């Protein structure tokens, strides 16, 4: 049930006026006329059949009449109280005890009200407006003057020309001009126009003269409209425009005349003569309405109970409003169209064309707007429709949760409010609308309103108790933007709604925290977001703490502890520069003192954190704990430290790791194999540790063979690749062991190749190991060195003193597999005569192929040298044909130095060069280089 109060009037019989208000209505299903009590209708809207009307009689004849009100049940579309009806001039002040006097027309100019009556009088009143402490507007009227015009006909129309201090009056089909102050007619010549049916003042004049008024006049029984200029002392016609039919009503704007003819509405441009038909209309059935509502725009009463808007171009830029079929008057007070019929005053919005307010008003006779004021009159009294402040109307709409209507009204009010004030008001209304939609769980729409309204997001955060930090300076907006104390009140105990609201809050905070607008209160936003993440067990909690954030430690740490987010607590400590506290928290998790399963690899994370930690005391503090947990992982604290960070001294690390042998080995491998540090002590230390591990594994007796093999391969690889360790030290340690390959490698480092090969051939008895040794030992040497090693190995195979008849099979395999290395002549001399050629066929084939290749290559080089020599002889012979000029001012073509003596060599073309330059050129020639290389071949 909704109740409102408003003023209404009217009785034909002269009895006391009855003032009634309709505040709300029920929308009819088919927009049909519905009865409002006995014989009362309002087109387009149905009212509850039961109306409770309360009337209050005046205590005395001169007392002002009280407004009575009745209540109606409201449906989905509730009313807007856009206007209040306020009495302006009562019946007693206007006519006293003369019951037959009726109001015919009104003009309102500033504080001056002029009333024309049916007995040919003009009344002049002074209206004073006052506003009470509660914002209630009232008017007090003072009668200044009244004047009888002497024509015995009603005063039909009044229009003020304030710049001229004149009043234009239509009475008895005559337009006259009277003085506004004295109401005396202007008697000078030409101040009257006779035979006038109606007239309209041009509110957008084209003359540009501020001391004249333009006026359009309709003459009775003539199909013309005359345009006049009204001056202080005369009236002058400037244009007469013919019309297709007899005009009934006219309104002017600039050069445009909007006319209601007998059967249609048209628009005429009296400057160009162009006309535009609008739509048909029967003036015999209903009174036409033609009203200017803005620049080159008019409001017309159309068939079907429609108020049509039409521009000067003949188009409609606004949707029509649906009003009564029996409208007798209309006024515009942006953004509303007010219409009067025989029983009601209706208020429609120009923005959405919806009916916003209905007031029952019996005996309504006149409705017009004057300079933003809407004046309504019955035949006996005058009232003013006072528009409620737009802000109050909007707040009423928001209070009824009618968000779209409130925003539409706000947008429409933009042009009437200063820009800065409007922006402030609009942002607040958007914020309020956002909270209304938020309360309805319409989160997408709410977010859009919050974003456009630039909401201080802390207003939203404050709905969740304890989310804002204790140190925040935030206080809620006053007056409040919403009616909720907190989320629990909003959801009325429904935890699912609370959860959905918090999910929206999380998403919204994530969006706004990066905006520049949050820079002033970033700490509040980030702290609230952290608490929401922790409470909801949200996966983005770690992302927040790992990124740049402004979470406050005193508020956030207890919250994380409360929700057992200890790993996140460590990240928070780290972000606030408390790495020691962070590591202690993580260590307690790894040791099982705290339960947090956020990361299953937390130990590896801690090691990685320490490896990048710039604080060396902190590294040493927690390194022992990590090494005790796992040496292989813990040593990464030292091996994975970045090159540009705080570095630890390798000697200090090795000294620290002495009780962790596996970690020591891994760290030395990092230094020697990864970083390639060329320091003898590191290489020797690693080799000794490798050797000790191999010896330990062998001596244990029950070590798997694969483990021993892997350990020996690591040792052998280090011994072969490194040249910085102490060879004699290792050789002494390995001397009495069965590590024959390692011994051979150490002898090779000492250039003791014969001893090394002897170990491999006679003790290890591994021809393949011996061949691999030769290949390894000669890898970075020249061909001669490589050849010497393989000949040495062949000699060992052929040595009959060391092992009977020697190792024929190994020797043959060596020759056949490496034929290109050996000197074939020396090999043939050394081989026993009893060997068959069949055994040596691969070797001999390879040797022969190599020899032929060498011979033919030498022949090619020799031929190239011969050809080059012939060319030089040819050039020399050609140069002998003329003199060669040499001087101390001429430079050599090759070195560009001058000649100091006459000896020179001529290049082809007679170009002189130094003798030593010619020798150098010959040495560097391709044929010379190739000939020099032939010396390496047999």
């Amino acid at each position: 049930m909704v109740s409102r109060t408003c003023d209404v009037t009217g009785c034909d019989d002269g009895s006391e006026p009855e003032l009634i208000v309709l505040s709300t209505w029920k929308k009819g299903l088919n927009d049909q006329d519905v009865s409002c009590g006995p014989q009362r209708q309002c087109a387009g809207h149905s009212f509850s059949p039961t109306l409770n009307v309360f009337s209050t009689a005046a205590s005395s004849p001169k007392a002002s009449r009280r407004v009575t009100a009745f209540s109606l049940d409201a449906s989905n579309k509730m009313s807007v109280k856009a206007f209040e009806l306020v009495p302006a001039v009562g019946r007693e002040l206007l006519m006293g005890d003369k019951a037959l006097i009726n109001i015919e027309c009104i003009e309102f100019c500033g504080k001056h009200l002029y009333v024309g009556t049916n007995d040919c009088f003009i009344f002049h009143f002074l209206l004073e407006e006052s506003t009470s402490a509660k914002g209630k507007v009232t008017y007090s009227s003072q009668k200044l003057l009244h004047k009888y015009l002497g024509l015995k006909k009603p005063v039909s129309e009044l229009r003020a020309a304030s710049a001229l201090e004149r009043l234009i009056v239509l009475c008895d089909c005559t337009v006259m001009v009277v003085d506004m102050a004295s109401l005396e007619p202007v008697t000078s010549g030409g101040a009257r126009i006779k035979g006038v049916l109606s007239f309209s003042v041009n509110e957008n004049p084209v003359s540009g003269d501020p001391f004249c008024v333009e006026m359009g006049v309709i003459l009775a029984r003539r199909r013309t409209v005359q345009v006049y200029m009204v001056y202080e002392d005369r009236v002058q016609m400037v244009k007469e425009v013919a019309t297709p039919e007899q005009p009934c009503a006219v309104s002017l704007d600039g050069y445009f005349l909007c006319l209601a003819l007998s059967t249609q509405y048209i628009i005429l441009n009296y400057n160009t003569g162009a006309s535009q038909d609008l739509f048909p209309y029967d003036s015999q059935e209903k009174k036409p309405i033609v009203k200017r509502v803005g620049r080159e725009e008019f409001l017309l009463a159309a068939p079907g109970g429609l108020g049509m808007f039409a521009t000067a171009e003949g188009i409609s830029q606004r949707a029509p409003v649906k009003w009564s079929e029996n409208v007798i008057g209309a006024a515009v007070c942006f953004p509303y169209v007010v219409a009067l019929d025989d029983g009601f005053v209706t208020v429609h919005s120009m923005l959405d064309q919806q009916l916003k307010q209905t007031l029952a008003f019996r005996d309504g006779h006149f409705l017009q707007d004057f300079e933003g004021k809407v004046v309504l009159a019955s035949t006996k009294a005058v009232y003013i429709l006072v528009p409620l402040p737009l802000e109050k109307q909007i707040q009423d709409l928001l209070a009824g949760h009618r968000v779209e209507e409130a925003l539409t009204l706000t947008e429409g009010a933009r042009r009437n409010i200063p820009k800065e004030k409007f922006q402030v008001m609009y942002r607040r209304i958007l914020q309020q609308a956002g909270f209304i939609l938020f309360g309805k769980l319409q989160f997408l729409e709410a977010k859009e309103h919050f974003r456009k309204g630039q909401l201080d997001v802390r207003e939203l955060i404050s709905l969740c108790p304890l989310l804002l930090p204790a140190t925040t300076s935030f206080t809620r907006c006053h007056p409040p933007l919403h009616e909720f104390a907190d989320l629990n009140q909003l959801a009325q105990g429904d935890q699912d709604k609370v959860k959905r609201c918090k999910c929206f809050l999380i998403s919204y905070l994530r969006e706004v925290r990066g905006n520049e607008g949050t820079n002033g209160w970033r700490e509040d936003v980030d702290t609230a977001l952290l608490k929401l993440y922790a409470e909801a067990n949200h996966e983005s909690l770690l992302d927040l703490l790992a990124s740049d954030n402004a979470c406050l430690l005193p508020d956030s740490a207890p919250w994380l502890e409360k929700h057992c987010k200890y790993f996140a607590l460590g990240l928070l400590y780290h972000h606030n520069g408390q790495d020691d506290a962070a590591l202690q928290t993580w260590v307690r998790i790894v040791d099982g003192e705290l339960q947090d399963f956020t990361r299953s690899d937390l130990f590896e994370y801690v090691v990685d954190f320490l490896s990048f930690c710039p604080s060396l005391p902190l590294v040493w503090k927690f390194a022992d704990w990590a090494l005790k947990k796992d040496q292989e992982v813990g040593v990464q604290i030292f091996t994975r430290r970045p090159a540009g960070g705080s570095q630890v001294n390798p000697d200090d690390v090795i000294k620290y790791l002495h009780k962790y042998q596996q970690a020591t080995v891994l760290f030395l491998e990092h230094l020697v194999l990864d970083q390639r540090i060329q320091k003898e002590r590191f290489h020797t230390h690693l080799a000794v540790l490798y050797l000790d591990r191999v010896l330990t594994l062998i001596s244990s007796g029950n070590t798997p063979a694969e483990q021993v093999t892997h350990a020996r391969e690591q040792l052998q690889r280090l011994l072969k690749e490194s040249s910085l360790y102490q060879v004699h030290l290792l050789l002494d340690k390995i001397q009495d062991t069965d590590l024959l390959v390692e011994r051979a490698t150490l002898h090779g480092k000492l250039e003791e190749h014969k001893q090394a090969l002897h170990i491999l051939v006679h003790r290890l008895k591994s021809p393949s190991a011996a061949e691999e040794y030769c290949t390894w030992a000669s890898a970075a040497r020249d061909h001669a060195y490589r050849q010497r090693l393989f000949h040495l190995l062949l000699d060992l195979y052929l040595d009959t003193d060391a092992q009977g008849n020697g190792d024929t099979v190994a020797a043959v395999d060596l020759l056949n597999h490496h034929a290109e290395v050996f000197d074939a002549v020396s090999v043939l001399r050394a081989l026993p005569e009893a060997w068959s050629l069949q055994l040596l066929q691969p070797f001999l084939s390879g040797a022969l192929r190599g020899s032929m290749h060498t011979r033919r290559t030498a022949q090619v080089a020799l031929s190239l040298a011969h050809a080059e020599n012939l060319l030089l002889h040819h050039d020399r012979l050609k140069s002998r044909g003329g003199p060669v000029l040499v001087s101390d001012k001429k430079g050599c073509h090759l070195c560009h130095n001058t000649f100091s003596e006459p000896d020179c060599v001529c290049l082809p073309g007679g170009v002189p060069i130094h003798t030593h330059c010619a020798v150098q050129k010959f040495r560097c020639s391709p044929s010379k280089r190739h000939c020099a290389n032939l010396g390496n071949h047999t």
Side-chain angles (χ1 to χ4, degrees), residues 423-424 426-432 446-456 508:
Q423 291 297 336
V424 174
Y426 188 48
R427 283 197 295 267
R428 176 177 174 82
I429 291 169
L430 284 170
Q431 294 168 11
Q432 290 178 273
K447 180 174 70 173
E448 187 65 18
H449 291 323
F450 289 150
R451 183 184 63 80
K452 289 182 179 178
Q454 301 175 14
L455 175 71
D456 182 342
Y508 187 64

PDB file of all heavy atoms in Angstrom, residues 423-424 426-432 446-456 508:
ATOM      1  N   GLN A 423      27.858  15.560 -12.821  1.00  0.00           N
ATOM      2  CA  GLN A 423      28.793  14.432 -12.728  1.00  0.00           C
ATOM      3  C   GLN A 423      28.819  13.858 -11.319  1.00  0.00           C
ATOM      4  O   GLN A 423      28.827  12.635 -11.127  1.00  0.00           O
ATOM      5  CB  GLN A 423      30.197  14.885 -13.141  1.00  0.00           C
ATOM      6  CG  GLN A 423      30.345  15.216 -14.616  1.00  0.00           C
ATOM      7  CD  GLN A 423      30.116  14.022 -15.522  1.00  0.00           C
ATOM      8  OE1 GLN A 423      30.274  12.876 -15.110  1.00  0.00           O
ATOM      9  NE2 GLN A 423      29.726  14.282 -16.758  1.00  0.00           N
ATOM     10  N   VAL A 424      28.831  14.717 -10.325  1.00  0.00           N
ATOM     11  CA  VAL A 424      28.830  14.244  -8.936  1.00  0.00           C
ATOM     12  C   VAL A 424      27.541  13.482  -8.634  1.00  0.00           C
ATOM     13  O   VAL A 424      27.563  12.381  -8.060  1.00  0.00           O
ATOM     14  CB  VAL A 424      29.005  15.434  -7.972  1.00  0.00           C
ATOM     15  CG1 VAL A 424      28.847  14.970  -6.527  1.00  0.00           C
ATOM     16  CG2 VAL A 424      30.373  16.089  -8.177  1.00  0.00           C
ATOM     17  N   TYR A 426      25.436  12.113 -10.799  1.00  0.00           N
ATOM     18  CA  TYR A 426      25.304  10.913 -11.629  1.00  0.00           C
ATOM     19  C   TYR A 426      26.141   9.761 -11.084  1.00  0.00           C
ATOM     20  O   TYR A 426      25.692   8.606 -11.057  1.00  0.00           O
ATOM     21  CB  TYR A 426      25.718  11.256 -13.056  1.00  0.00           C
ATOM     22  CG  TYR A 426      25.437  10.157 -14.056  1.00  0.00           C
ATOM     23  CD1 TYR A 426      24.209   9.535 -14.102  1.00  0.00           C
ATOM     24  CD2 TYR A 426      26.414   9.764 -14.980  1.00  0.00           C
ATOM     25  CE1 TYR A 426      23.945   8.543 -15.026  1.00  0.00           C
ATOM     26  CE2 TYR A 426      26.154   8.768 -15.902  1.00  0.00           C
ATOM     27  CZ  TYR A 426      24.916   8.154 -15.917  1.00  0.00           C
ATOM     28  OH  TYR A 426      24.664   7.166 -16.822  1.00  0.00           O
ATOM     29  N   ARG A 427      27.341  10.076 -10.646  1.00  0.00           N
ATOM     30  CA  ARG A 427      28.187   9.015 -10.073  1.00  0.00           C
ATOM     31  C   ARG A 427      27.533   8.408  -8.834  1.00  0.00           C
ATOM     32  O   ARG A 427      27.542   7.186  -8.644  1.00  0.00           O
ATOM     33  CB  ARG A 427      29.571   9.576  -9.746  1.00  0.00           C
ATOM     34  CG  ARG A 427      30.465   9.750 -10.953  1.00  0.00           C
ATOM     35  CD  ARG A 427      31.914   9.910 -10.546  1.00  0.00           C
ATOM     36  NE  ARG A 427      32.130  11.125  -9.795  1.00  0.00           N
ATOM     37  CZ  ARG A 427      32.498  12.275 -10.344  1.00  0.00           C
ATOM     38  NH1 ARG A 427      32.669  12.359 -11.654  1.00  0.00           N
ATOM     39  NH2 ARG A 427      32.695  13.349  -9.620  1.00  0.00           N
ATOM     40  N   ARG A 428      26.978   9.266  -7.990  1.00  0.00           N
ATOM     41  CA  ARG A 428      26.346   8.740  -6.772  1.00  0.00           C
ATOM     42  C   ARG A 428      25.142   7.868  -7.116  1.00  0.00           C
ATOM     43  O   ARG A 428      24.933   6.805  -6.524  1.00  0.00           O
ATOM     44  CB  ARG A 428      25.932   9.898  -5.862  1.00  0.00           C
ATOM     45  CG  ARG A 428      25.185   9.425  -4.617  1.00  0.00           C
ATOM     46  CD  ARG A 428      24.822  10.548  -3.675  1.00  0.00           C
ATOM     47  NE  ARG A 428      23.993  10.037  -2.596  1.00  0.00           N
ATOM     48  CZ  ARG A 428      24.448   9.430  -1.510  1.00  0.00           C
ATOM     49  NH1 ARG A 428      25.747   9.241  -1.359  1.00  0.00           N
ATOM     50  NH2 ARG A 428      23.622   8.983  -0.583  1.00  0.00           N
ATOM     51  N   ILE A 429      24.336   8.313  -8.089  1.00  0.00           N
ATOM     52  CA  ILE A 429      23.152   7.529  -8.458  1.00  0.00           C
ATOM     53  C   ILE A 429      23.564   6.191  -9.055  1.00  0.00           C
ATOM     54  O   ILE A 429      22.949   5.147  -8.779  1.00  0.00           O
ATOM     55  CB  ILE A 429      22.286   8.344  -9.435  1.00  0.00           C
ATOM     56  CG1 ILE A 429      21.673   9.535  -8.689  1.00  0.00           C
ATOM     57  CG2 ILE A 429      21.206   7.484 -10.058  1.00  0.00           C
ATOM     58  CD1 ILE A 429      21.024  10.545  -9.593  1.00  0.00           C
ATOM     59  N   LEU A 430      24.603   6.200  -9.872  1.00  0.00           N
ATOM     60  CA  LEU A 430      25.106   4.934 -10.412  1.00  0.00           C
ATOM     61  C   LEU A 430      25.563   4.004  -9.291  1.00  0.00           C
ATOM     62  O   LEU A 430      25.326   2.787  -9.329  1.00  0.00           O
ATOM     63  CB  LEU A 430      26.255   5.197 -11.376  1.00  0.00           C
ATOM     64  CG  LEU A 430      25.880   5.722 -12.763  1.00  0.00           C
ATOM     65  CD1 LEU A 430      27.122   6.156 -13.520  1.00  0.00           C
ATOM     66  CD2 LEU A 430      25.142   4.652 -13.557  1.00  0.00           C
ATOM     67  N   GLN A 431      26.217   4.567  -8.297  1.00  0.00           N
ATOM     68  CA  GLN A 431      26.664   3.744  -7.179  1.00  0.00           C
ATOM     69  C   GLN A 431      25.476   3.158  -6.412  1.00  0.00           C
ATOM     70  O   GLN A 431      25.469   1.970  -6.058  1.00  0.00           O
ATOM     71  CB  GLN A 431      27.549   4.576  -6.255  1.00  0.00           C
ATOM     72  CG  GLN A 431      28.872   5.016  -6.878  1.00  0.00           C
ATOM     73  CD  GLN A 431      29.586   6.058  -6.051  1.00  0.00           C
ATOM     74  OE1 GLN A 431      29.216   6.329  -4.905  1.00  0.00           O
ATOM     75  NE2 GLN A 431      30.621   6.664  -6.620  1.00  0.00           N
ATOM     76  N   GLN A 432      24.467   3.999  -6.183  1.00  0.00           N
ATOM     77  CA  GLN A 432      23.281   3.499  -5.492  1.00  0.00           C
ATOM     78  C   GLN A 432      22.602   2.402  -6.312  1.00  0.00           C
ATOM     79  O   GLN A 432      22.174   1.376  -5.769  1.00  0.00           O
ATOM     80  CB  GLN A 432      22.293   4.649  -5.246  1.00  0.00           C
ATOM     81  CG  GLN A 432      22.755   5.656  -4.211  1.00  0.00           C
ATOM     82  CD  GLN A 432      21.762   6.790  -4.054  1.00  0.00           C
ATOM     83  OE1 GLN A 432      21.804   7.775  -4.771  1.00  0.00           O
ATOM     84  NE2 GLN A 432      20.847   6.636  -3.112  1.00  0.00           N
ATOM     85  N   ALA A 446      25.466  -4.793 -11.709  1.00  0.00           N
ATOM     86  CA  ALA A 446      25.982  -4.017 -10.574  1.00  0.00           C
ATOM     87  C   ALA A 446      27.427  -3.586 -10.830  1.00  0.00           C
ATOM     88  O   ALA A 446      27.804  -2.436 -10.574  1.00  0.00           O
ATOM     89  CB  ALA A 446      25.891  -4.848  -9.295  1.00  0.00           C
ATOM     90  N   LYS A 447      28.222  -4.506 -11.353  1.00  0.00           N
ATOM     91  CA  LYS A 447      29.626  -4.174 -11.614  1.00  0.00           C
ATOM     92  C   LYS A 447      29.741  -3.036 -12.619  1.00  0.00           C
ATOM     93  O   LYS A 447      30.586  -2.136 -12.462  1.00  0.00           O
ATOM     94  CB  LYS A 447      30.363  -5.405 -12.130  1.00  0.00           C
ATOM     95  CG  LYS A 447      31.824  -5.159 -12.438  1.00  0.00           C
ATOM     96  CD  LYS A 447      32.541  -6.430 -12.813  1.00  0.00           C
ATOM     97  CE  LYS A 447      32.114  -6.942 -14.149  1.00  0.00           C
ATOM     98  NZ  LYS A 447      32.923  -8.104 -14.597  1.00  0.00           N
ATOM     99  N   GLU A 448      28.907  -3.054 -13.637  1.00  0.00           N
ATOM    100  CA  GLU A 448      28.966  -2.002 -14.640  1.00  0.00           C
ATOM    101  C   GLU A 448      28.620  -0.653 -14.026  1.00  0.00           C
ATOM    102  O   GLU A 448      29.252   0.368 -14.321  1.00  0.00           O
ATOM    103  CB  GLU A 448      28.006  -2.334 -15.782  1.00  0.00           C
ATOM    104  CG  GLU A 448      28.098  -1.396 -16.962  1.00  0.00           C
ATOM    105  CD  GLU A 448      29.440  -1.459 -17.669  1.00  0.00           C
ATOM    106  OE1 GLU A 448      30.186  -2.454 -17.477  1.00  0.00           O
ATOM    107  OE2 GLU A 448      29.759  -0.505 -18.400  1.00  0.00           O
ATOM    108  N   HIS A 449      27.622  -0.616 -13.146  1.00  0.00           N
ATOM    109  CA  HIS A 449      27.267   0.646 -12.487  1.00  0.00           C
ATOM    110  C   HIS A 449      28.367   1.096 -11.528  1.00  0.00           C
ATOM    111  O   HIS A 449      28.662   2.296 -11.441  1.00  0.00           O
ATOM    112  CB  HIS A 449      25.950   0.481 -11.737  1.00  0.00           C
ATOM    113  CG  HIS A 449      24.767   0.317 -12.652  1.00  0.00           C
ATOM    114  ND1 HIS A 449      24.637   0.985 -13.850  1.00  0.00           N
ATOM    115  CD2 HIS A 449      23.637  -0.455 -12.541  1.00  0.00           C
ATOM    116  CE1 HIS A 449      23.504   0.652 -14.435  1.00  0.00           C
ATOM    117  NE2 HIS A 449      22.880  -0.221 -13.667  1.00  0.00           N
ATOM    118  N   PHE A 450      28.962   0.163 -10.807  1.00  0.00           N
ATOM    119  CA  PHE A 450      30.073   0.519  -9.915  1.00  0.00           C
ATOM    120  C   PHE A 450      31.224   1.119 -10.713  1.00  0.00           C
ATOM    121  O   PHE A 450      31.847   2.099 -10.305  1.00  0.00           O
ATOM    122  CB  PHE A 450      30.570  -0.713  -9.162  1.00  0.00           C
ATOM    123  CG  PHE A 450      29.608  -1.209  -8.108  1.00  0.00           C
ATOM    124  CD1 PHE A 450      29.550  -2.551  -7.762  1.00  0.00           C
ATOM    125  CD2 PHE A 450      28.762  -0.330  -7.447  1.00  0.00           C
ATOM    126  CE1 PHE A 450      28.668  -3.008  -6.795  1.00  0.00           C
ATOM    127  CE2 PHE A 450      27.883  -0.772  -6.480  1.00  0.00           C
ATOM    128  CZ  PHE A 450      27.836  -2.113  -6.156  1.00  0.00           C
ATOM    129  N   ARG A 451      31.500   0.509 -11.866  1.00  0.00           N
ATOM    130  CA  ARG A 451      32.627   0.971 -12.674  1.00  0.00           C
ATOM    131  C   ARG A 451      32.358   2.377 -13.225  1.00  0.00           C
ATOM    132  O   ARG A 451      33.206   3.262 -13.126  1.00  0.00           O
ATOM    133  CB  ARG A 451      32.875  -0.008 -13.815  1.00  0.00           C
ATOM    134  CG  ARG A 451      34.080   0.330 -14.680  1.00  0.00           C
ATOM    135  CD  ARG A 451      34.195  -0.628 -15.849  1.00  0.00           C
ATOM    136  NE  ARG A 451      33.054  -0.513 -16.730  1.00  0.00           N
ATOM    137  CZ  ARG A 451      32.919   0.443 -17.647  1.00  0.00           C
ATOM    138  NH1 ARG A 451      33.865   1.366 -17.788  1.00  0.00           N
ATOM    139  NH2 ARG A 451      31.857   0.487 -18.423  1.00  0.00           N
ATOM    140  N   LYS A 452      31.157   2.572 -13.789  1.00  0.00           N
ATOM    141  CA  LYS A 452      30.840   3.889 -14.349  1.00  0.00           C
ATOM    142  C   LYS A 452      30.727   4.945 -13.247  1.00  0.00           C
ATOM    143  O   LYS A 452      31.072   6.105 -13.467  1.00  0.00           O
ATOM    144  CB  LYS A 452      29.524   3.815 -15.124  1.00  0.00           C
ATOM    145  CG  LYS A 452      29.608   3.038 -16.419  1.00  0.00           C
ATOM    146  CD  LYS A 452      28.268   3.061 -17.148  1.00  0.00           C
ATOM    147  CE  LYS A 452      28.328   2.322 -18.465  1.00  0.00           C
ATOM    148  NZ  LYS A 452      27.009   2.305 -19.156  1.00  0.00           N
ATOM    149  N   GLY A 453      30.250   4.542 -12.085  1.00  0.00           N
ATOM    150  CA  GLY A 453      30.089   5.495 -10.992  1.00  0.00           C
ATOM    151  C   GLY A 453      31.347   5.725 -10.191  1.00  0.00           C
ATOM    152  O   GLY A 453      31.334   6.502  -9.232  1.00  0.00           O
ATOM    153  N   GLN A 454      32.454   5.076 -10.587  1.00  0.00           N
ATOM    154  CA  GLN A 454      33.745   5.254  -9.912  1.00  0.00           C
ATOM    155  C   GLN A 454      33.598   5.041  -8.405  1.00  0.00           C
ATOM    156  O   GLN A 454      34.018   5.854  -7.586  1.00  0.00           O
ATOM    157  CB  GLN A 454      34.322   6.631 -10.205  1.00  0.00           C
ATOM    158  CG  GLN A 454      34.544   6.907 -11.680  1.00  0.00           C
ATOM    159  CD  GLN A 454      35.009   8.320 -11.971  1.00  0.00           C
ATOM    160  OE1 GLN A 454      35.428   9.050 -11.069  1.00  0.00           O
ATOM    161  NE2 GLN A 454      34.943   8.730 -13.227  1.00  0.00           N
ATOM    162  N   LEU A 455      32.991   3.934  -8.069  1.00  0.00           N
ATOM    163  CA  LEU A 455      32.735   3.608  -6.670  1.00  0.00           C
ATOM    164  C   LEU A 455      34.037   3.427  -5.902  1.00  0.00           C
ATOM    165  O   LEU A 455      34.979   2.783  -6.385  1.00  0.00           O
ATOM    166  CB  LEU A 455      31.910   2.309  -6.589  1.00  0.00           C
ATOM    167  CG  LEU A 455      31.658   1.764  -5.184  1.00  0.00           C
ATOM    168  CD1 LEU A 455      30.676   2.653  -4.438  1.00  0.00           C
ATOM    169  CD2 LEU A 455      31.143   0.335  -5.247  1.00  0.00           C
ATOM    170  N   ASP A 456      34.097   4.014  -4.737  1.00  0.00           N
ATOM    171  CA  ASP A 456      35.165   3.685  -3.801  1.00  0.00           C
ATOM    172  C   ASP A 456      34.891   2.253  -3.340  1.00  0.00           C
ATOM    173  O   ASP A 456      33.947   1.985  -2.604  1.00  0.00           O
ATOM    174  CB  ASP A 456      35.136   4.653  -2.614  1.00  0.00           C
ATOM    175  CG  ASP A 456      36.268   4.394  -1.626  1.00  0.00           C
ATOM    176  OD1 ASP A 456      36.861   3.296  -1.663  1.00  0.00           O
ATOM    177  OD2 ASP A 456      36.551   5.267  -0.795  1.00  0.00           O
ATOM    178  N   TYR A 508      35.549  -8.562  -8.547  1.00  0.00           N
ATOM    179  CA  TYR A 508      35.560  -7.110  -8.740  1.00  0.00           C
ATOM    180  C   TYR A 508      36.846  -6.490  -8.194  1.00  0.00           C
ATOM    181  O   TYR A 508      37.438  -5.605  -8.825  1.00  0.00           O
ATOM    182  CB  TYR A 508      34.334  -6.497  -8.062  1.00  0.00           C
ATOM    183  CG  TYR A 508      34.175  -5.023  -8.338  1.00  0.00           C
ATOM    184  CD1 TYR A 508      33.934  -4.566  -9.626  1.00  0.00           C
ATOM    185  CD2 TYR A 508      34.274  -4.081  -7.316  1.00  0.00           C
ATOM    186  CE1 TYR A 508      33.784  -3.211  -9.891  1.00  0.00           C
ATOM    187  CE2 TYR A 508      34.126  -2.725  -7.574  1.00  0.00           C
ATOM    188  CZ  TYR A 508      33.881  -2.306  -8.858  1.00  0.00           C
ATOM    189  OH  TYR A 508      33.756  -0.965  -9.125  1.00  0.00           O
TER     190      TYR A 508
END
